[in-house]
């Protein structure tokens, strides 16, 4: 088979880095603030961005994506390709070779056994791995020698860079986690809160939903890095306080995800202590429709599961009408300004994967009302529509954030104009995006009718991202309520397209398949209702050097290269 792998043209030889750092720890302390507080430091047990990014300071993958989307080696000697022999001619295997001499922060050697263990950990049938889509199509992971591991796929895999690539798929230390597999994974608190890693920093104390204290990893592979001896990762609060802490008071050095109105950010920048950095990637604010019934009248363990379809969101006419009633351009104007673009797509970029779907961009209240009329949903004396005794009464939840609450208020008003009753609920981001299987308030458990949030995918290829919506990845009790298919969408035809994408090498054909899958989720089924293609906006102190915003991987991807500007 002569198909070239998708990412050959995107492989880079080296990382971006500032001027050489003279001595590890010479620049003292650095303060980072994420207004969404991490609840765990194991990204395999939470798909929340805050967990993935905080963990990326400690545990690392074999390769990452740089700010251009190019693949670059981290723990691996090089990115395997067809040309260097790392990817087999039949595209069924990819062989990774670790750099020699790598050490875990406890001083023990990093080996291929750790890499294999990581795959086994995530693919355990009872583990409920939050990143299982990264291992789509993997048949086996085999240790070839102390530093070499081979991943074998069931079919030809033109894009074999799912496992162990990017912040969502880091390597775990086997010795620390080997007794924490399957259903026991969430119980290993010490390991999940303080993973032993290879990254520039090591955890000294972790307070869930609050603060993480770290120190420079004395075993880090570059003896001159990191420049900072200690690091504080503060979580919680809100985006406004985080922005002020960098741009106005200078209390912190880096603030992530300033999800604020543009005029608010502009006023903060007048404080003169820092600057914002921004870039577009694949981050989409959207509404997810729950295809299952979240009613508390159902027995615990059956709520929001495939055992009970949703009483009214199972009706396509209802889902489409809810989308038609939304004015996305106004949402962009009030929420993001130039840092946002109205979108109908779950995958807005890169261009080859972005559908030409624009049907949702014009608000149509009259059309939405007619659609519900035609579908037999009749307004009662209270103005709320009902059919067969079922009222269109929605619980709409999201995380606590000023922009999101503004969106909720507007959307509630628009939905009232089409006869839909809406109860608004906002939950602390540290809880909403956490992975606690015992909490009723996580976005994975989805004990609401609709919920709103944003996430994105590693790198420039959406294969693993789209694979999240296969039938088998719905969160459920048997998976510890983990899983990427948040709205419990299930269509065998979609699953077949995921498999086809996995074995397709032509970029043109891959783009065609991805666009079709995007449309199945959005304009064909309205299971996912995209709202805004969000630019990433963060801020750093004027005295913090080396920051390079990366929308294709963790924002903290090159924290080892950060330094203090004197």
């Amino acid at each position: 088979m002569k198909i070239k792998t998708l990412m050959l043209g995107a492989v880079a030889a080296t990382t971006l880095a500032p001027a050489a750092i003279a001595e590890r720890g010479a620049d003292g302390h650095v303060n980072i603030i994420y207004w969404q507080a991490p609840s765990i430091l194991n990204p395999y047990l939470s798909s929340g961005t805050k967990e993935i990014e905080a963990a990326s300071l400690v545990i690392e993958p074999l390769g990452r994506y740089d700010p251009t989307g190019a693949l670059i080696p981290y723990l691996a000697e090089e990115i395997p390709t067809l040309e260097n022999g790392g990817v087999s001619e039949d595209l069924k295997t990819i062989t990774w070779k670790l750099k020699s001499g790598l050490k875990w922060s406890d001083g023990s050697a990093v080996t291929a056994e750790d890499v294999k263990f990581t795959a086994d950990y995530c693919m355990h049938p009872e583990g409920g791995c939050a990143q299982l889509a990264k291992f789509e199509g993997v048949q086996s992971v085999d240790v070839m020698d102390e530093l070499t591991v081979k991943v074998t796929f069931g079919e030809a895999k033109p894009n074999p860079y799912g496992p162990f690539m990017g912040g969502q798929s880091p390597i775990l230390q086997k010795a620390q986690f080997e007794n924490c597999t399957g259903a026991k994974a969430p119980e290993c608190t010490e390991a999940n809160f303080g993973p032993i890693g290879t990254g520039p920093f090591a955890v000294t104390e972790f307070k869930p939903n609050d603060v993480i204290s770290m120190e420079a990893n004395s075993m880090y592979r570059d003896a001159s890095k990191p420049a900072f001896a200690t690091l504080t990762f503060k979580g919680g609060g809100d985006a406004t306080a985080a922005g002020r802490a960098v741009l106005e008071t200078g209390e912190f050095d880096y603030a992530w995800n300033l999800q604020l109105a543009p005029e608010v950010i502009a006023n903060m920048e007048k404080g003169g202590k820092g600057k914002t950095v921004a870039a577009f990637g694949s981050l989409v604010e959207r509404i997810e429709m729950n295809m299952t019934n979240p009613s508390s009248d159902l027995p615990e363990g059956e709520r929001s599961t495939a055992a009970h379809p949703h009483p009214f969101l199972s009706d396509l006419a209802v889902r489409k009408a809810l989308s038609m009633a939304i004015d996305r351009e106004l949402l962009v104007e009030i929420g993001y300004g130039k840092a946002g673009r109205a979108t109908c797509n779950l995958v807005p970029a890169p261009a080859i994967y972005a559908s030409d779907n624009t049907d949702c961009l014009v608000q149509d209240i009259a059309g939405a009302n007619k659609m519900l009329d035609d579908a037999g949903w009749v307004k009662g004396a209270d103005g709320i529509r009902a059919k067969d005794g079922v009222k269109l009464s929605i619980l709409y939840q999201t995380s606590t954030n000023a922009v999101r609450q503004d969106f909720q208020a507007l959307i509630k008003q628009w939905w009232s104009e089409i006869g839909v009753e809406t109860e608004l609920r906002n939950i602390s981001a540290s809880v909403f995006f956490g992975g606690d299987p015992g909490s009723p308030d996580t976005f994975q458990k989805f004990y609401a009718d609709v919920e709103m949030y944003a996430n994105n995918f590693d790198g420039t290829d959406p294969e693993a991202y789209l694979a999240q919506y296969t039938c088998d990845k719905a969160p459920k009790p048997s998976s510890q309520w983990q899983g990427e298919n948040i709205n419990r969408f299930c269509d065998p035809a979609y699953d077949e397209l995921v498999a086809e994408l996995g074995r397709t090498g032509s970029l043109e054909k891959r783009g065609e398949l991805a666009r079709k899958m995007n449309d199945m989720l959005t304009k064909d089924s309205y299971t996912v209702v995209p709202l805004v293609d969000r630019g990433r906006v963060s801020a750093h102190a004027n005295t913090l050097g080396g920051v390079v915003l990366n929308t294709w991987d963790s924002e903290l991807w090159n924290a080892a290269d950060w330094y203090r500007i004197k």
Side-chain angles (χ1 to χ4, degrees):
M1 187 178 296
K2 300 301 182 182
I3 304 172
K4 291 290 183 182
T5 56
L6 171 67
M7 304 301 291
L8 281 179
V11 175
T14 58
T15 65
L16 300 177
I21 297 168
E23 182 181 353
R24 177 179 294 155
D27 286 347
H29 190 78
V30 64
N31 287 307
I32 297 172
I33 185 166
Y34 274 47
W35 55 271
Q36 294 181 7
S39 59
I40 197 170
L41 285 177
N42 181 353
Y44 291 110
L45 297 184
S46 174
S47 57
T49 302
K50 57 193 174 69
E51 279 82 20
I52 293 167
E53 302 215 347
S56 73
L57 294 164
V58 180
I59 49 179
E60 302 176 299
L62 299 183
R64 285 198 182 281
Y65 300 92
D66 76 5
T68 71
L71 284 71
I72 50 176
Y74 257 62
L75 299 184
E77 280 193 343
E78 62 182 354
I79 298 295
T81 65
L82 272 173
E83 293 172 337
N84 63 27
V87 176
S88 63
E89 285 292 331
D90 64 4
L91 306 181
K92 288 188 175 182
T93 69
I94 180 170
T95 301
W96 292 89
K97 191 169 184 62
L98 287 163
K99 293 175 179 175
S100 61
L102 291 174
K103 299 288 185 183
W104 293 104
S105 59
D106 66 359
S108 60
V110 180
T111 74
E113 291 287 349
D114 296 303
V115 181
K116 172 180 168 52
F117 170 78
T118 299
D120 293 342
Y121 177 92
C122 186
M123 293 191 297
H124 194 291
E126 298 175 6
C129 180
Q131 309 298 339
L132 187 58
K134 282 282 193 175
F135 295 86
E136 188 77 24
V138 173
Q139 188 176 75
S140 65
V141 179
D142 300 299
V143 173
M144 310 307 291
D145 60 43
E146 189 176 23
L147 297 178
T148 309
V149 66
K150 180 170 73 173
V151 181
T152 301
F153 298 95
E155 297 181 285
K157 194 77 167 178
N159 177 25
Y161 306 112
F164 319 125
M165 273 295 304
Q168 296 175 4
S169 191
I171 308 304
L172 299 178
Q173 187 194 54
K174 178 180 179 180
Q176 185 182 30
F177 283 90
E178 61 185 341
N179 295 320
C180 302
T181 59
K184 292 188 292 185
E187 300 171 6
C188 293
T189 303
E190 184 176 348
N192 293 329
F193 285 4
I196 295 167
T198 58
F201 295 94
V203 179
T204 56
E205 184 180 22
F206 177 63
K207 297 179 180 178
N209 304 324
D210 186 9
V211 66
I212 312 166
S213 299
M214 300 186 187
E215 63 184 5
N217 176 5
S218 62
M219 296 293 168
Y220 190 62
R221 57 191 171 275
D222 187 329
S224 67
K225 298 178 182 179
F228 294 103
T230 54
L231 177 150
T232 295
F233 189 111
K234 183 70 177 76
D238 54 47
T240 301
R244 285 175 176 161
V246 171
L247 299 172
E248 294 183 356
T249 71
E251 180 185 358
F252 282 82
D253 296 297
Y254 191 89
W256 161 86
N257 186 24
L258 298 186
Q259 195 175 354
L260 299 165
E263 64 272 14
V264 173
I265 294 176
N267 285 331
M268 286 181 181
E269 285 191 294
K270 294 176 182 177
K273 297 289 188 179
K275 62 190 73 173
T276 56
V277 285
F280 280 95
S282 59
L283 185 67
V284 171
E285 189 81 14
R286 76 294 197 106
I287 290 175
E288 298 271 357
M289 303 283 181
N290 195 341
M291 302 303 291
T292 60
N293 191 347
S295 173
S296 59
D297 293 336
L298 295 171
E300 191 63 30
E302 294 185 23
R303 297 176 65 185
S304 291
T305 69
H308 301 281
H310 198 282
F312 57 83
L313 289 177
S314 297
D315 186 340
L316 173 60
V318 174
R319 302 195 301 273
K320 185 173 182 179
L322 292 172
S323 176
M324 292 169 67
I326 297 171
D327 185 342
R328 289 163 174 79
E329 296 291 352
L330 182 56
L331 294 180
V332 169
E333 181 182 338
I334 69 161
Y336 299 101
K338 293 181 180 178
R341 300 182 288 213
T343 187
C344 305
N345 290 324
L346 177 64
V347 179
I352 191 171
Y353 300 114
S355 170
D356 61 0
N357 175 23
T358 59
D359 292 353
C360 77
L361 296 183
V362 177
Q363 183 186 40
D364 188 0
I365 296 289
N369 272 308
K370 183 178 187 303
M371 178 161 290
L372 293 173
D373 287 340
D374 292 347
W377 293 93
V378 179
K379 286 185 179 180
D382 58 359
I384 308 304
R385 293 180 183 271
K387 180 180 178 181
D388 299 329
V390 176
K391 293 182 69 172
L392 293 188
S393 182
I394 285 177
L395 175 59
Y396 173 9
Q397 70 181 19
T398 189
S399 64
T400 305
N401 168 267
V403 172
R404 286 190 169 136
Q405 271 67 82
D406 286 345
F407 278 24
Q408 281 186 305
L410 281 171
I411 291 170
K412 176 180 180 176
Q413 172 59 37
W414 294 325
W415 285 352
S416 73
E417 295 175 29
I418 63 171
V420 176
E421 179 181 53
T422 307
E423 177 186 348
L424 302 181
R425 184 171 185 238
N426 66 83
I427 303 164
S428 167
S430 61
V431 175
F432 186 66
F433 294 114
D436 182 0
S439 171
D441 297 325
T442 64
F443 81 112
Q444 299 103 320
K445 191 162 279 189
F446 206 169
Y447 282 178
D449 301 296
V450 303
E451 62 185 12
M452 179 174 66
Y453 60 90
N455 66 12
N456 58 348
F457 52 90
D458 277 347
T460 56
D461 185 275
E463 181 182 331
Y465 191 60
L466 290 167
Q468 294 177 356
Y469 289 88
T470 56
C471 298
D472 63 316
K473 296 188 182 70
K476 50 190 175 292
S478 62
S479 68
Q480 321 302 317
W481 289 105
Q482 293 293 345
E484 305 105 316
N485 186 352
I486 301 301
N487 42 29
R488 290 64 161 157
F489 170 83
C490 185
D491 184 342
Y494 185 91
D495 288 13
E496 290 176 9
L497 288 177
V498 169
E500 185 178 354
L501 180 62
R503 57 178 178 262
T504 298
S506 161
L507 270 175
E508 182 178 352
K509 181 63 175 177
R510 288 180 68 82
E512 178 185 326
L513 288 168
R515 294 191 298 271
K516 184 174 183 179
M517 293 158 71
N518 172 91
D519 289 353
M520 287 179 72
L521 294 168
T522 56
K523 75 174 183 179
D524 295 343
S525 73
Y526 293 87
T527 306
V528 181
V529 177
L531 303 173
V532 181
D533 174 12
R534 283 176 45 193
R536 192 79 67 84
V537 180
S538 294
H540 67 85
N542 293 329
T543 59
L544 183 62
V547 175
V548 182
L549 185 64
N550 188 345
T551 61
W552 305 112
D553 207 312
S554 165
E555 280 195 27
L556 306 178
W557 72 291
N558 76 327
D561 298 329
W562 289 4
Y563 59 95
R564 185 68 67 198
I565 299 172
K566 307 299 184 182

